[in-house]
């Protein structure tokens, strides 16, 4: 076939005989391209201008043209007389009248002969022979595929003539749109005198549809012909399969009959014997369980007997062993269903008894007469208590001892002052009632002798504390040493078990079946590890002879459960022997921390003595007594204090600078230190504030009541009444309850001291206003650092800043804000008109406090917001209802409500929960949009509605929130 004229010309060779050019007439070189007749002309639409200019079967149907022979094209192509109509494309398309004509060669292409391929044939001849041999050996696989592909392409080409609408799966003539597309009504319209033309168009449409039908029928017939052989093969295989199944069924029936006979003859008797043996073993197990239950039943009376003799460790060991037996060997016993909880309550009672006992011991130990005797009081009792507290992981028991040290140190000074004052005749105790005032009436020699007595008492006090704390630390180190030995023993056992794992398989099998290794081997044949295990098992002190050798493994563990905890004896430095059990599961890190804390407690004892001494000095120095000392007296006092400081450093091993610093700072202190003392006091209180609700003593309530009456002054202390009033839980201010911390109570008192100082000294009003503003700003910023900034975690040692801490801090700030206008009015009444500009400090302070309160509220909302973001991001709409996600949310909401309801007023609680609810709705709406859950009344919508109803019911069931408008409809996307 010649290439088209648009192809690029082939380069001509210079050789005269290289190419052969065929000359021809230029007029015969090109033939005009004729278009095929339009079999399906453009459909008439009623507009003559839109008709085609090409010949039309509709317009020219009255006169015969050459196109009349091509109208019924499918009939012509399906003529059975034409043998090659399906293989010859031109005959099939253009009919039998098509005649092949010779194509004129192109003058652009050279004349190619066989000589041009001679060199190539020589080169490829050997490869062709090899290829022919391979082709004979391996039949081509793609012959059929090629034919099938060709046929498939041909069928696809034919099917492409059929419009796509007939191939749609939802094709249905009942649909008006489909019907109008296949059979347009415009072809059947007879209006306007165009009846002949419409009839012709309808006929043409019918022929088109017939043509499409023929194409589909030909393709269906072709597909059936391709799969006919597989169909007949499947039918033949079906008959053979039925024969095989019939034979198999008969064979299975015969086999079942034989197996039934074998079962009756050979198996039923043996199985009955095994069943009886199993029943016997079960009876033995039940008997052993009953014995164990009888033993466990006696646990509570035994524990009570041990507690009556203060045997706390033994009682705890018995409870632990019984709990282990209940959880492992008696689990599920109905009669013991309450015993575990009873033992837990008994264990909690023992904890309280031990703490109370240790508190009593610490009180008796520290309050003994301070003689030159540093022996430990009841060392055995102390060691037993420490072991019990360590066993129960009560690692903060040393704090009880520390609190008692503080109280004892106070009592030591008080008792020394009382004894000294009673020996001085110049002091009339009936006239001067207060002990501090009596002490201030002493001259320097008398006061110096009193200080010397106090220092000597404190020295003996510290030596006694050191001896007791060393005993406690020795017990901790014994447990630590026991832990180390236990780890070494476990490592040794692991190494031995690794060696024992190399025992022969027969030995392992006999051991697994419950037989003793000594039954299978002679004494000389036992491996070393197996011999040790066998001897240990046979010589167990708690093993009892079993009634049968078929007792299973659980009953053996039952007999030995009481000896499961191995104990080792240890001797304390005092010579007391104690048994340390393996169940004291304390890590080395915990024990080391506890030992360090006990050592730190000794340092704290030194600090306490120094602090009490400093307070004693400051009490005497209130009237400027120390500043009035001459050089000799001051040097004598310094030497005495230096000697005491060295003694405490030698006893405790650490320097305490408080006493020396007090002595040095006293010489340089000035009269005008009012502000710094109170600011330091507030700072110390804040640094030690744990932000827990404090009880309000009656004197503070009286103080607040006096301010409510319109006068700001410190009330005079009333004489002690016969009945001491109990402290209140809340501070009542103008009918409102305020939950406060101890620091705020003291801050209110300090504020009133500033106000009273202004009344006493009017000339310092402006200075006091500035200093009071600085104090209020300091309290605000420092409390913000400690609570919002979480500084209390490091300063005080709080584990976390809870919502209760935040709410309590907010309420304390609100209390201060309540008094700021009263304080402003108090200072305004005492300022000159030109000094009124200084009152702007109170406006700035009020704004700062309100901002701080708003930040705390935002923090509370942010806590729940982060919870909602974390929990609702994992929310999935599925059963059961309510979901775990919503249960968790309701639980956390209830916790927050429980934490803040008693602290904040009801209206503030409602506003806070409205903001929290808005955050909850936002996160839930976002998650529902992510899950594509809409408010359509479907199953998913029902599950979400149930969860939301559960949330709403739980939230409104909280106290004070029953009338809260939650508006939960906002969680759904609004339809647009």
């Amino acid at each position: 076939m010649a290439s088209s004229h648009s192809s690029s010309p082939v380069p001509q060779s210079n050789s005269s005989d290289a190419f052969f050019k065929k000359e021809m007439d230029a007029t015969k070189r090109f033939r005009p391209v004729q278009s095929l007749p339009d079999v399906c002309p453009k459909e008439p639409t009623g507009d003559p201008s839109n008709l085609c200019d090409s010949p039309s079967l509709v317009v020219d149907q009255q006169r015969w043209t050459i196109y009349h022979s091509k109208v019924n094209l499918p009939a012509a192509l399906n003529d059975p007389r034409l043998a090659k109509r399906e293989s010859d494309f031109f005959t099939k398309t253009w009919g039998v009248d098509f005649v092949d004509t010779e194509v004129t060669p192109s003058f652009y292409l050279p004349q190619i002969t066989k000589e041009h391929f001679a060199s190539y044939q020589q080169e490829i001849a050997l490869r062709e022979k090899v290829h022919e041999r391979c082709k004979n050996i391996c039949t081509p696989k793609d012959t059929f595929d090629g034919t099938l592909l060709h046929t498939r392409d041909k069928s696809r080409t034919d099917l492409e003539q059929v419009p796509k609408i007939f191939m749609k799966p939802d094709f249905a003539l009942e649909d008006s749109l489909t019907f109008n597309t296949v059979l347009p009504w415009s072809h059947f319209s007879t209006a306007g005198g165009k009846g002949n033309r419409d009839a012709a168009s309808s006929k043409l449409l019918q022929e088109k549809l017939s043509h499409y039908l023929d194409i589909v029928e030909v393709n269906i017939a072709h597909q059936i012909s391709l799969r006919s052989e597989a169909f007949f093969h499947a039918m033949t295989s079906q008959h053979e399969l039925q024969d095989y199944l019939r034979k198999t069924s008969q064979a299975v029936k015969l086999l079942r009959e034989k197996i039934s006979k074998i079962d009756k003859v050979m198996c039923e008797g043996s199985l009955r014997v095994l069943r009886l043996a199993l029943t016997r073993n079960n009876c033995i197990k039940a008997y052993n369980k009953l014995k164990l239950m009888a033993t466990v039943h006696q646990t509570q009376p035994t524990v009570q007997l041990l507690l009556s003799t203060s045997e706390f460790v033994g009682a705890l060991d018995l409870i632990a062993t019984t709990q282990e037996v209940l959880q492992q060997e008696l689990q599920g016993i109905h009669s013991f269903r309450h015993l575990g909880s009873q033992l837990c309550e008994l264990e909690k009672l023992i904890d309280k008894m031990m703490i109370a006992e240790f508190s009593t011991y610490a009180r008796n130990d520290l309050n003994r007469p301070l003689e030159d005797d540093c022996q430990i009081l009841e060392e055995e009792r102390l060691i037993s208590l420490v072991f019990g507290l360590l066993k129960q992981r009560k690692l903060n028991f040393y704090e009880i001892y520390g609190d008692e040290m503080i109280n004892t140190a106070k009592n030591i000074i008080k008792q020394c002052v009382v004894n000294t004052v009673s020996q001085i005749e110049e002091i009339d105790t009936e006239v001067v009632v207060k002990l501090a005032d009596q002490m201030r009436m002493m001259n320097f020699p008398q006061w110096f002798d009193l200080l010397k007595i106090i220092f000597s008492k404190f020295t003996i006090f510290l030596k006694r504390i050191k001896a007791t704390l060393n005993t406690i630390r020795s017990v901790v180190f014994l447990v630590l040493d026991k832990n180390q030995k236990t780890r070494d023993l476990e490592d040794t056992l692991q190494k031995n078990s690794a060696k024992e794992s190399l025992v022969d398989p027969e030995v392992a099998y006999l051991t697994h079946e419950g037989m003793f290794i000594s039954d299978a081997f002679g004494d000389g044949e036992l491996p070393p590890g197996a011999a040790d295990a066998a001897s240990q098992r046979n010589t167990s002190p708690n093993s009892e002879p079993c009634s049968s050798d078929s007792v299973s493994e659980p009953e053996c563990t039952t007999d030995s459960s009481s000896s499961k905890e191995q104990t080792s004896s240890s001797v304390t430095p005092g010579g007391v022997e104690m048994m340390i059990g393996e169940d004291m599961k304390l890590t080395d890190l915990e024990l080391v921390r506890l030992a360090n804390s006990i050592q730190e407690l000794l340092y704290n004892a030194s600090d306490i003595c120094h602090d009490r001494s400093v307070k004693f000095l400051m009490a005497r120095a209130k009237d400027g007594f120390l500043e009035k000392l001459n050089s000799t007296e001051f040097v004598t006092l310094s030497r005495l204090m230096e000697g005491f400081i060295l003694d405490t450093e030698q006893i405790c091993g650490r320097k305490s600078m408080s006493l020396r610093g007090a002595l040095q700072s006293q010489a340089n202190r000035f009269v005008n230190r009012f502000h710094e003392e109170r600011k330091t006091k507030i700072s110390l209180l804040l640094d030690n504030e744990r932000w827990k609700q404090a009880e309000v003593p009656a004197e503070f309530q009286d103080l607040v009541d006096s301010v409510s009456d319109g006068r700001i002054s410190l009330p005079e202390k009333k004489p002690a009444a016969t009945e001491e009033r109990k402290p209140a839980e809340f501070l009542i201010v103008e009918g409102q309850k305020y939950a406060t911390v101890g620091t705020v109570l003291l801050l209110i008192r300090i504020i009133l001291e500033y106000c009273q100082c202004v009344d006493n000294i009017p000339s310092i009003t402006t200075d006091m206003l500035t200093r009071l503003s600085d104090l209020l700003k300091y309290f605000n910023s420092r409390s913000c650092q400690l609570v919002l900034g979480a500084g209390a975690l490091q300063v005080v040692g709080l584990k976390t800043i809870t919502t209760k801490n935040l709410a309590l801090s907010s309420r304390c700030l609100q209390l201060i804000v309540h008094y700021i206008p009263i304080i402003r009015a108090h200072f305004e009444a005492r300022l000159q008109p030109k000094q009124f500009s200084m009152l702007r400090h109170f406006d700035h302070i009020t704004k700062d406090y309100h901002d701080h309160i708003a930040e705390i509220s935002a923090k509370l909302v942010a806590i729940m917001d982060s919870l909602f973001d974390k929990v609702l991001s994992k929310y999935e709409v599925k059963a059961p209802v309510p979901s775990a996600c919503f249960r968790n949310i309701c639980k956390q909401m209830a916790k927050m409500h429980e934490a803040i309801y008693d602290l904040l007023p009801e209206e503030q609680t409602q506003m806070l929960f409205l903001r929290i609810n808005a955050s909850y709705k936002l996160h839930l709406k976002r998650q529902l949009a992510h899950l594509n859950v809409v408010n359509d009344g479907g199953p998913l919508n029902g599950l979400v509605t149930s969860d939301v109803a559960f949330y709403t019911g739980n939230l409104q069931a909280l106290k004070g929130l029953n009338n809260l408008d939650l508006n939960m409809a906002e969680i759904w996307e609004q339809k647009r």
Side-chain angles (χ1 to χ4, degrees):
M1 196 80 180
S3 64
S4 64
H5 297 291
S6 62
S7 303
S8 60
V10 179
Q12 303 291 333
S13 174
N14 295 329
S15 176
S16 60
D17 56 352
F19 297 95
F20 175 75
K21 294 184 180 179
K22 184 177 180 180
E23 298 295 334
M24 58 184 300
D25 190 1
T27 59
K28 299 180 181 180
R29 188 173 300 170
F30 300 99
R31 291 173 54 186
V33 179
Q34 297 182 358
S35 61
L36 295 177
D38 186 8
V39 179
C40 299
K42 185 176 182 181
E43 302 293 342
T45 61
D47 186 5
S49 62
N50 292 334
L51 298 177
C52 299
D53 296 333
S54 60
S56 174
L57 295 176
V58 177
V59 178
D60 302 330
Q61 62 179 341
Q62 301 300 328
R63 61 185 181 85
W64 190 92
T65 62
I66 59 174
Y67 300 109
H68 281 74
S69 62
K70 305 295 176 61
V71 170
N72 196 358
L73 186 59
L77 294 177
N78 291 333
D79 189 357
R81 294 173 296 176
L82 300 178
K84 297 182 179 181
R85 66 183 184 278
E86 293 183 359
S87 60
D88 193 341
F89 172 78
F90 300 99
T91 304
K92 177 180 179 181
T93 306
W94 296 325
V96 70
D97 295 336
F98 178 81
V99 179
D100 295 338
T101 58
E102 181 180 359
V103 180
T104 304
S106 175
F107 65 92
Y108 289 105
L109 298 177
Q111 189 70 25
I112 303 301
T113 61
K114 291 186 178 181
E115 284 76 10
H116 289 86
F117 299 95
S119 58
Y120 173 75
Q121 288 179 350
Q122 292 177 1
E123 294 177 0
I124 209 67
L126 180 60
R127 299 182 182 178
E128 184 180 6
K129 292 179 181 180
V130 175
H131 174 68
E132 290 296 333
R133 280 199 302 270
C134 294
K135 188 166 65 174
N136 293 334
I137 297 173
C138 303
T139 59
K141 296 182 180 180
D142 56 342
T143 303
F144 176 74
D145 297 338
T147 305
L148 183 62
L149 182 61
H150 173 72
T151 306
R152 188 175 302 166
D153 294 339
K154 180 175 177 297
S155 302
R156 185 181 297 108
T157 304
D158 293 340
L159 288 175
E160 288 178 353
Q161 300 179 17
V162 181
K164 301 299 182 182
I165 190 172
F166 293 101
M167 303 300 180
K168 292 184 178 180
D170 55 349
F171 177 80
L173 288 177
E174 291 82 355
D175 186 8
S176 59
L177 184 62
T178 305
F179 186 84
N180 292 331
T181 305
V182 176
L183 299 174
W185 287 102
S186 61
H187 291 186
F188 306 102
S189 176
T190 57
K194 299 178 183 179
N196 295 333
R197 185 170 180 176
D198 292 340
S201 178
S202 302
K203 184 178 180 181
L204 179 60
L205 179 62
Q206 183 178 2
E207 291 178 355
K208 284 168 60 179
L209 296 176
S210 301
H211 177 57
Y212 298 155
L213 179 62
D214 293 337
I215 291 175
V216 174
E217 289 178 349
V218 169
N219 279 274
I220 291 175
H222 177 66
Q223 294 295 329
I224 293 175
S225 65
L226 290 178
R227 292 166 175 78
S228 60
E229 183 179 355
F231 174 74
F232 288 112
H233 178 70
M235 293 300 296
T236 305
S237 301
Q238 178 70 17
H239 293 300
E240 295 178 359
L241 182 60
Q242 290 180 355
D243 294 339
Y244 290 152
L245 288 176
R246 191 180 302 108
K247 294 178 182 178
T248 303
S249 177
Q250 294 175 357
V252 169
K253 181 178 180 182
L254 181 61
L255 181 60
R256 286 180 175 176
E257 292 176 355
K258 292 181 179 180
I259 290 175
S260 178
K261 295 178 181 180
I262 293 174
D263 180 54
K264 291 181 180 179
V265 175
M266 301 183 65
C267 298
E268 286 186 355
S270 301
L271 289 176
R272 185 170 179 274
V273 172
L274 294 176
R275 209 174 286 115
L276 292 175
L278 182 60
T279 303
R280 180 175 178 272
N281 290 338
N282 290 337
C283 292
I284 295 174
K285 293 178 183 178
Y287 172 70
N288 291 330
K289 288 289 184 183
L290 290 174
K291 290 199 302 182
L292 182 60
M293 289 172 63
T295 303
V296 170
H297 186 65
Q298 299 297 323
T299 299
Q300 288 180 314
T302 308
V303 169
Q304 294 176 359
L305 181 61
L306 292 173
L307 291 180
S308 63
T309 59
S310 299
E311 290 289 339
F312 300 109
V313 178
L316 290 173
D317 289 338
L318 181 57
I319 291 175
T321 304
T322 306
Q323 290 279 25
E324 185 177 358
V325 171
L326 287 175
Q327 294 175 3
Q328 295 181 359
E329 302 175 24
L330 297 181
Q331 187 175 9
I333 301 299
H334 187 71
S335 59
F336 288 153
R337 64 187 183 278
H338 300 305
L339 182 58
S341 59
Q342 292 172 357
L343 292 177
C344 290
E345 293 297 328
L346 195 58
E347 189 173 0
K348 294 179 181 178
L349 177 61
I350 294 175
D351 292 346
K352 296 179 180 179
M353 292 177 63
M354 286 193 300
I355 292 175
E357 188 76 13
F358 184 79
S359 178
T360 304
Y361 175 84
R363 192 179 303 109
N364 295 335
D365 179 49
L366 296 175
N367 291 325
R368 286 183 293 163
L370 292 173
E371 300 173 355
D372 195 6
D373 182 13
C374 299
Q375 293 182 356
I376 302 174
L377 178 65
E378 299 180 7
E379 184 176 5
E380 295 182 4
R381 178 187 173 194
L382 173 62
I383 294 173
S384 177
L385 284 172
V386 173
F387 271 117
L389 292 169
L390 292 179
K391 183 179 179 64
Q392 294 302 105
R393 302 180 64 86
K394 302 295 181 182
L395 304 183
N396 58 345
F397 66 91
Y398 61 90
E399 296 178 358
I400 300 174
Y401 200 83
D403 296 338
E404 195 61 38
M405 285 191 312
I406 297 175
N407 297 329
T408 306
K410 294 179 181 179
N411 295 331
I412 288 174
I413 294 180
K414 183 177 180 180
Q415 190 64 35
C416 291
V417 173
V418 170
N419 295 336
T420 304
V421 168
S422 62
Q423 297 175 2
I424 301 176
E425 298 179 355
E426 292 82 0
I427 301 176
D428 189 358
T429 57
E430 295 180 358
V431 177
V432 183
V433 180
K434 294 183 180 180
L435 191 63
D437 295 337
Q438 295 174 1
M439 185 263 296
R440 293 190 187 97
M441 295 180 65
M442 299 179 184
N443 54 27
F444 178 76
Q446 294 172 343
W447 181 81
F448 183 79
D449 293 337
L450 174 60
L451 182 62
K452 188 184 297 184
I453 295 173
I454 291 175
F455 284 165
S456 63
K457 297 291 185 182
F458 274 158
T459 303
I460 300 174
F461 176 67
L462 289 176
K463 290 180 180 180
R464 185 174 294 171
I465 291 175
K466 181 178 181 181
T468 303
L469 293 181
N470 284 341
T471 302
I472 298 175
R473 291 183 77 236
S474 66
V475 174
V476 175
F477 285 130
L478 283 176
V479 177
L480 183 62
D481 183 62
K482 175 60 182 176
N483 286 352
Q484 183 64 36
K485 292 181 179 179
T486 303
R487 283 197 302 272
D488 296 340
L489 181 60
E490 289 176 355
D491 295 339
T492 305
L493 292 177
Q494 287 179 359
K495 293 179 181 179
N496 293 337
S497 61
K499 294 179 181 179
E500 291 175 1
S501 63
L502 303 176
V503 180
D504 294 339
E506 182 179 0
V507 178
Y509 172 76
L510 293 174
T511 306
H512 176 72
E513 290 297 323
M515 298 177 62
F516 293 109
I517 299 177
S518 58
D519 297 336
F521 292 95
D523 295 336
E525 298 176 357
L526 278 173
D532 295 340
S535 61
Q536 183 179 359
R537 181 172 179 176
N538 291 331
T539 60
S540 177
N542 293 326
S543 61
E544 297 178 358
C546 299
S547 59
S548 173
D549 57 352
S550 60
V551 179
S552 60
E553 184 179 355
E555 69 184 64
C556 296
T557 58
T558 299
D559 294 336
S560 60
S561 61
S562 61
S563 63
K564 191 171 183 178
E565 297 179 359
Q566 297 180 1
T567 58
S568 61
S569 61
S570 301
V571 181
T572 61
V576 181
E577 184 176 354
M578 293 296 297
M579 303 301 292
I580 304 176
E582 287 186 348
D583 61 336
M584 196 172 293
K585 301 300 181 181
L586 292 172
T587 62
D588 292 351
L589 181 60
E590 291 175 335
L591 293 172
V592 171
R593 286 178 178 175
L594 179 58
N596 294 335
S597 299
I598 295 172
Q599 183 64 34
E600 189 69 25
L601 187 61
L602 181 59
Y603 302 152
N604 292 339
S606 175
D607 294 339
I608 290 170
C609 293
H610 282 240
D611 293 340
R612 301 313 304 180
S613 300
V614 169
K615 290 185 178 181
F616 178 76
L617 290 174
M618 296 300 104
R620 188 65 183 91
K622 284 185 177 180
D623 55 354
F625 173 77
L626 296 181
E627 286 76 10
K628 299 176 183 178
L629 296 179
N630 55 37
S631 59
T632 304
E633 293 174 341
F634 190 80
V635 169
T636 306
L637 178 62
S638 299
R639 289 179 179 177
L640 176 63
M641 297 177 64
E642 287 289 342
F644 175 71
I645 292 173
L646 293 177
D647 291 339
T648 55
E649 290 178 359
Q650 184 178 3
I651 295 172
C652 301
R654 191 178 72 171
K655 293 182 179 181
S656 295
M657 304 299 297
S658 60
L659 187 58
R660 182 183 289 112
L663 180 63
Q664 293 176 354
S665 62
Q666 187 63 34
N668 303 321
R669 188 165 301 173
F670 298 97
V671 175
N672 190 13
R673 57 194 178 190
F674 183 89
H675 173 66
E676 291 300 326
E677 286 179 353
R678 280 148 184 78
K679 187 175 181 180
T680 304
K681 185 177 182 180
I682 289 296
S683 175
L684 292 175
L685 290 173
L686 286 173
D687 290 343
N688 292 277
E689 182 60 60
R690 304 192 65 86
W691 296 100
K692 293 182 180 180
Q693 183 177 358
E695 294 182 345
V696 180
E699 58 179 355
F700 283 94
Q701 186 62 52
D702 296 338
L703 181 65
V704 170
D705 294 340
S706 65
V707 175
S708 301
D709 294 338
R711 51 189 178 86
I712 298 180
S713 62
L714 294 176
E716 298 179 358
K717 292 185 178 181
K718 300 179 181 179
T722 56
E723 295 183 0
E724 184 178 357
R725 290 185 296 171
K726 295 182 180 179
E729 187 176 0
F730 295 96
L731 185 67
I732 309 300
V733 180
E734 296 182 359
Q736 291 190 8
K737 293 183 178 180
Y738 285 88
T740 63
V741 296
T743 304
V744 174
L745 294 175
L746 294 175
L747 177 62
I748 293 175
R749 185 179 182 89
I750 290 174
I751 292 174
L752 298 183
E753 289 176 357
Y754 275 78
C755 296
Q756 189 179 22
C757 185
V758 170
D759 290 337
N760 297 332
I761 312 175
S763 60
I764 61 171
T765 302
T766 56
D767 190 22
M768 278 297 176
L769 189 149
T770 305
R771 292 176 182 270
L772 180 58
S773 302
D774 178 66
L775 182 67
L776 292 175
K777 290 179 181 179
Y778 175 78
F779 175 79
N780 183 41
S781 61
R782 186 57 178 162
S783 61
C784 181
Q785 293 173 3
L786 292 174
V787 181
L788 276 179
L793 300 180
Q794 291 80 20
V795 177
V796 187
L798 294 181
K799 295 183 179 179
T800 182
I801 302 298
T802 62
T803 55
K804 193 167 186 178
N805 299 139
L806 293 171
L808 186 59
S809 175
S810 175
R811 196 57 175 162
C812 292
L813 294 173
Q814 294 173 22
L815 178 60
I816 302 300
V817 170
H818 174 79
Y819 281 105
I820 289 179
I822 301 175
I823 299 170
R824 176 190 174 121
H826 181 82
F827 278 87
E828 185 177 3
R830 289 154 181 80
L831 287 175
Q832 299 296 328
K834 62 180 180 181
Q835 299 174 338
F836 284 168
S837 60
M838 298 184 64
L839 296 175
R840 69 181 184 275
H841 294 296
F842 292 108
D843 299 331
H844 297 160
I845 293 171
T846 304
K847 181 180 180 303
D848 293 342
Y849 272 68
H850 282 301
D851 293 342
H852 190 180
I853 294 170
E855 289 178 5
I856 292 176
S857 299
K859 181 64 176 179
L860 291 172
V861 176
I863 291 173
M864 299 305 297
D865 185 81
S866 62
L867 172 68
F868 294 151
D869 183 51
K870 178 181 178 181
V871 176
L872 289 178
S873 62
K874 302 177 182 178
Y875 173 59
E876 297 180 359
V877 184
K878 60 181 181 179
V881 175
S883 63
C885 173
F886 276 73
R887 288 180 182 274
N888 188 16
I889 288 175
C890 293
K891 180 180 179 182
Q892 297 300 326
M893 295 279 275
K895 285 185 177 180
M896 171 165 278
H897 179 270
E898 181 183 0
I900 70 175
Y901 182 76
D902 293 331
L903 303 178
L904 298 179
E906 184 172 343
E907 59 274 15
Q908 294 185 20
T909 305
Q910 292 178 354
M911 292 299 299
L912 180 62
F913 272 86
L914 280 177
R915 294 177 61 185
I916 293 174
N917 182 64
S919 173
Y920 160 80
K921 291 189 292 185
L922 179 63
H923 286 283
L924 181 58
K925 182 178 181 180
R926 187 182 305 160
Q927 182 65 13
L928 292 178
H930 175 70
L931 297 175
N932 295 326
V933 179
V934 296
N935 189 13
D936 56 356
L940 295 180
N941 175 255
L943 292 175
V944 174
T945 304
S946 300
D947 282 338
V948 171
F950 173 76
Y951 162 81
T952 305
N954 275 271
L955 187 58
Q956 292 182 344
L958 298 177
K959 189 175 181 180
L961 304 182
N962 50 348
N963 297 325
L964 206 62
D965 184 14
L966 300 180
N967 194 12
M968 298 308 297
E970 295 179 357
I971 65 173
W972 302 108
E973 290 285 347
Q974 300 297 329
K975 295 184 179 179
R976 297 180 181 178

